[in-house]
Amino acid sequence: SPAAPPTVSISATAVSPNQIRIDMNQVVRFTNNGQRSVEIHSDPHPTHEFCPPMNEVGILSAGQSRDTGAFTRAGTCTYHNHDDPDNSSFRGSIVVGGVTDPGPSTTPGPY
């Protein structure tokens, strides 16, 4: 059976880890371990267009998990909690690599 995807845990106070590295064509699972629902979307707020696979997470009720879409391009994908977009504790990034590490992204924008 395939390995479980890397997981971002969402608590009442933060996402953890706030940066995850994956290979191309992988997904990331988001699990809401807090008591309130969260709505995870790609940056920028409120248009969410930079990273479409992120938007498959959407609304997570307490205790719920959902996977992103597959990330098919190398680059850095950033996301936020749409319900609390300015809270940096609920912002994070997914670094999508190819065979080689692309290194830190120097330009914000579409991944």
Side-chain angles (χ1 to χ4, degrees):
S1 67
T7 299
V8 174
S9 173
I10 305 163
S11 71
T13 55
V15 295
S16 177
N18 67 358
Q19 185 178 84
I20 245 174
R21 289 182 175 269
I22 62 169
D23 295 324
M24 285 206 307
N25 300 310
Q26 272 191 295
V27 302
V28 175
R29 180 164 296 155
F30 281 75
T31 299
N32 184 1
N33 294 309
Q35 301 302 310
R36 291 180 304 172
S37 69
V38 293
E39 188 172 346
I40 300 298
H41 282 290
S42 163
D43 287 343
H45 181 78
T47 55
H48 309 145
E49 79 262 21
F50 282 176
C51 201
M54 276 307 313
N55 296 328
E56 293 190 29
V57 177
I59 298 171
L60 291 175
S61 302
Q64 198 173 28
S65 295
R66 190 171 300 118
D67 293 349
T68 63
F71 293 91
T72 56
R73 287 184 288 167
T76 300
C77 243
T78 55
Y79 63 86
H80 62 276
N81 176 10
H82 182 74
D83 297 331
D84 194 4
D86 298 322
N87 186 336
S88 62
S89 298
F90 290 96
R91 299 183 73 84
S93 60
I94 296 169
V95 179
V96 183
V99 175
T100 58
D101 182 345
S105 175
T106 54
T107 53
Y111 96 107

